[in-house]
Amino acid sequence: MLQNTNIRVAQLNRQESLIRLQAALIEQSHEAIFVMDGQNRIISWNRGAEKLYGWSKQEAFGKTPRDLLETRDEPQPYAEVLERVAREGHWEGELIHTTRAGQQVVTECHIEVMKDGEGKIVAKLSNNRDITLRKQMEFERKTYTRLAIDVTGFGCWEVNLGTCKVEMTPEARKLFGFPLEAALDHETVLSRIHAEDREKVIEIFERLQVARDADYVFEMRVIWPDQSVHWLAKRGRSFVDENDHSVHVVGVVVDISERIHMLEEIEQTNRRAKEALNSVSDTFVYLDRNWHFIYANERALECTGKTLKEAHSKTFWELFPDSVNTTLEESFRRAMVTGEEMHFEDYCAAHDKWYSWNVYPVHDGLIISYHDITERKIIEMALQASESKFRRLVESNIIGVYISDTQTRIWEANKAFLDTIGYSASDFIPGELKAEDLIVGYGDETTKRVEKEMKENGVVTVYEREFRTRQGDTLPVLLAGARLNGCDRAIFFVMNITAQKDLERQRDAFMSMTSHELRNPLAAIKGNLQLAQRRLVQLKKVTETLPGETESNLRKLDESVGRALNQTNVEDRLIGDLLDISRAASHRLKLYPRLCNLVEVVYATVEDLQSSFPHCTLIVDAPGQDELLVMADVDRIAQVINNYVTNALKYAGYEKPVRVHLGVDDGHARVSVIDQGPGLTLEDRQRIWERFYQVKGAKSYGNVGMGLGLGLHISQILIALHDGQVGVESVPGEGSTFWFTLPLFSSD
Ligand code: ADP
């Protein structure tokens, strides 16, 4: 018994010293170890625990790890962990604790139960190894790998060349256009590869079968089921499995379509740039500092007759010997030395051509471009010649010239023009003087017509105007102008026609005087002839029975007097026309208007005419018109009708009927004289109202004479004085209709 007891004591002593040893070891361990009692309260807390968690032994004792370390229920609820420990005797896994400083630590935890001699659980020992850093690294690696996959989009794949089975990550499947779940083999993958690249892939795989542990890289096109083409770059390595049998190829794959497209684009841009360089009419050469060719476009090479390769071995001076010892050589050398850009034009006597040169110094030489500007130069020189001719004209001061803008501001004027308007060169300030202040009546109908003509045709044909000089005098001028190209300015030519006008005035005065001088004796002659005619009539009455010879003489005498009277009438009309013209020119043509019925005036005039021309057919055609009241000088209106009807007879022939039509048109009475004569061309119709104008080669009938070409001009003046209008409608060979209108009288 004692022996037994002794043995037992000895055993207990060994156990105790073992426990003490264990406790000492635990205490020294740098892993965090603590022991919990049955209620999970901490009863032991080693140095490692103090270091890891920051709590001292005193602080830790009596607390549960849940409270002290805020043990998280992650990745597994802590209560469950402790239950398992109680049930199974141990547990291992990861736990997340919080230190005294509030930092979270991840531990790899082993919990073991401690039992007494009877096998009763007395405590739990928790051994905690800090794996926070490792975890963090793992996390980071995973994150970075994911990030790398996401960013680069690369996928991983593996082929077992023995079984032909293919494994692919979702990213790789996506790149090949495969669904996520489908089983893949080498054939399926090959079928996705573009026919042109497939051979290459097969060849690579065949090589890998023999050459183990080999790396390869290649680019290929993959065609997705929707037929879209994708460029992939594959990088792989082959190795054999543990049995040294099957060859595995493992690798990554990445989409490089964008890069390929970019390369294609760059290539295209380069090609285009090259094409552009070759297609421009400019010639480009790029020379190094020793004057050797680095680049020359096609045009430049054409000039040398060499290929770029051949040109490379020569200097610029060898290829372009004409440029040696010329201003070109001097300029190029200067640009090379000074680094200054140069742009100039130069005549090449050898080619008889003008060139425009641009020289750009760059760090390793010169870029020179040039192009043929001969055509432009010829035009420029021609322009210069015509410009100098024009300048000579302006400076010769034969004619006045000024240049004005759309607001009529005069910007340039020659001496002749300034003299005309009474200015000296020193008085003239460009842009200050306005043509509208010089032109008498500016803004009137003529101004509108001229402006319209300038706008539509770019030129204004000669027209008459009056200018007011600086001294307040008015002087007649002829004006013509043309718009200057490329700006809003126009050039005007001004000719002072005071002298001509004076002459005209003198002529008018002379005409007026001579007409008066002629009219007086003509009146006397006419009076005497009429007297003689009346006496002859009386003589015939009293002497009824005259000898035959005397009677025949008397009859001849009567006829002669009749013809003489007729002639005096013609003379009288001509002198009347001349007088009217001179009166009109000096604004002395007076009207004596009164209210009258135009229908009556027309009938009366035509009746008179009919008695003068008894054999002619004159028809008045006034449908439904009895009264057309107008304010008019009856004699003058009769003169116009007279003129129209006599012209109709004179130019159509006396046997052709003449119709006088009366109508109303827009508040105006309208009288038209319609003949069946030769008609008039457009030019004649436009010019017929000018004074002295007569149609060339026109044939007139009867004995009223050709006239002076004044009748229509006077008619126009007379009708204008009545505020009416004149006009003619005619087709050559189909007769003419001369018309005039008069405003109908209204009591308002
Ligand atoms: P003239 O005294 O010459 O007749 P007018 O001024 O009356 O002068 O006419 C001018 C010209 O117009 C004439 O010379 C003639 O050539 C032409 N003319 C006038 N009336 C007619 C007409 N009815 N038919 C054809 N030509 C005409």
Side-chain angles (χ1 to χ4, degrees), residues 376-389:
R376 197 194 82 202
K377 274 280 165 187
I378 291 171
I379 295 169
E380 259 178 30
M381 283 187 294
L383 266 175
Q384 262 167 20
S386 84
E387 160 83 9
S388 72
K389 260 190 221 153

Side-chain angles (χ1 to χ4, degrees), residues 139-151:
F139 171 77
E140 281 178 7
R141 205 180 59 232
K142 264 195 199 155
T143 316
Y144 290 150
T145 313
R146 169 72 16 221
L147 208 68
I149 289 176
D150 287 351
V151 171

Side-chain angles (χ1 to χ4, degrees), residues 38-78:
Q39 276 80 50
N40 297 324
R41 284 184 304 241
I42 295 167
I43 50 172
S44 164
W45 186 256
N46 80 341
R47 274 207 214 146
E50 277 185 333
K51 203 167 160 222
L52 177 63
Y53 297 120
W55 299 104
S56 67
K57 284 187 175 52
Q58 291 74 16
E59 287 167 325
F61 285 160
K63 310 241 169 61
T64 65
R66 174 160 212 121
D67 297 338
L68 184 72
L69 304 175
E70 296 170 26
T71 311
R72 295 240 307 256
D73 284 339
E74 254 176 76
Q76 206 177 336
Y78 193 50

Side-chain angles (χ1 to χ4, degrees), residues 100-146:
R100 192 172 200 242
Q103 261 171 356
Q104 293 200 330
V105 285
V106 187
T107 61
E108 203 173 67
C109 178
H110 290 258
I111 307 177
E112 294 283 340
V113 290
M114 297 170 84
K115 295 182 181 166
D116 60 11
E118 279 115 47
K120 225 175 104 201
I121 299 174
V122 287
K124 295 177 199 103
L125 184 135
S126 175
N127 183 357
N128 303 279
R129 184 182 298 156
D130 182 8
I131 56 160
T132 316
L133 264 177
R134 201 181 82 204
K135 278 278 158 189
Q136 204 173 332
M137 262 170 64
E138 255 175 43
F139 171 77
E140 281 178 7
R141 205 180 59 232
K142 264 195 199 155
T143 316
Y144 290 150
T145 313
R146 169 72 16 221

Side-chain angles (χ1 to χ4, degrees), residues 428-551:
F428 172 68
I429 301 167
E432 226 170 57
L433 191 62
K434 281 185 152 192
E436 65 182 55
D437 298 330
L438 298 171
I439 296 170
V440 178
Y442 184 86
D444 59 7
E445 282 305 313
T446 313
T447 314
K448 283 179 201 148
R449 182 183 61 76
V450 166
E451 279 175 358
K452 191 166 166 248
E453 204 184 331
M454 180 68 99
K455 207 169 150 204
E456 284 169 7
N457 309 331
V459 288
V460 176
T461 46
V462 184
Y463 67 106
E464 249 187 76
R465 262 303 194 188
E466 273 188 338
F467 266 22
R468 192 176 297 106
T469 66
R470 194 179 192 195
Q471 293 68 32
D473 304 326
T474 53
L475 48 92
V477 293
L478 283 181
L479 259 175
R483 200 169 41 225
L484 292 176
N485 281 341
C487 62
D488 64 348
R489 298 191 175 183
I491 183 162
F492 285 92
F493 301 93
V494 182
M495 197 160 95
N496 184 352
I497 51 166
T498 312
Q500 287 94 314
K501 280 281 160 184
D502 282 348
L503 265 177
E504 258 176 47
R505 260 193 293 278
Q506 282 169 16
R507 190 186 61 195
D508 287 338
F510 173 75
M511 264 176 12
S512 159
M513 194 182 74
T514 42
S515 321
H516 278 292
E517 291 307 310
L518 284 172
R519 185 160 255 194
N520 295 341
L522 190 68
I525 295 169
K526 202 172 159 183
N528 282 328
L529 282 173
Q530 281 165 340
L531 189 65
Q533 212 175 29
R534 275 202 298 278
R535 289 218 174 121
L536 274 171
V537 172
Q538 279 166 3
L539 196 64
K540 269 199 244 165
K541 272 186 201 159
V542 287
T543 52
E544 266 170 20
T545 49
L546 279 174
E549 197 186 333
T550 320
E551 206 216 305

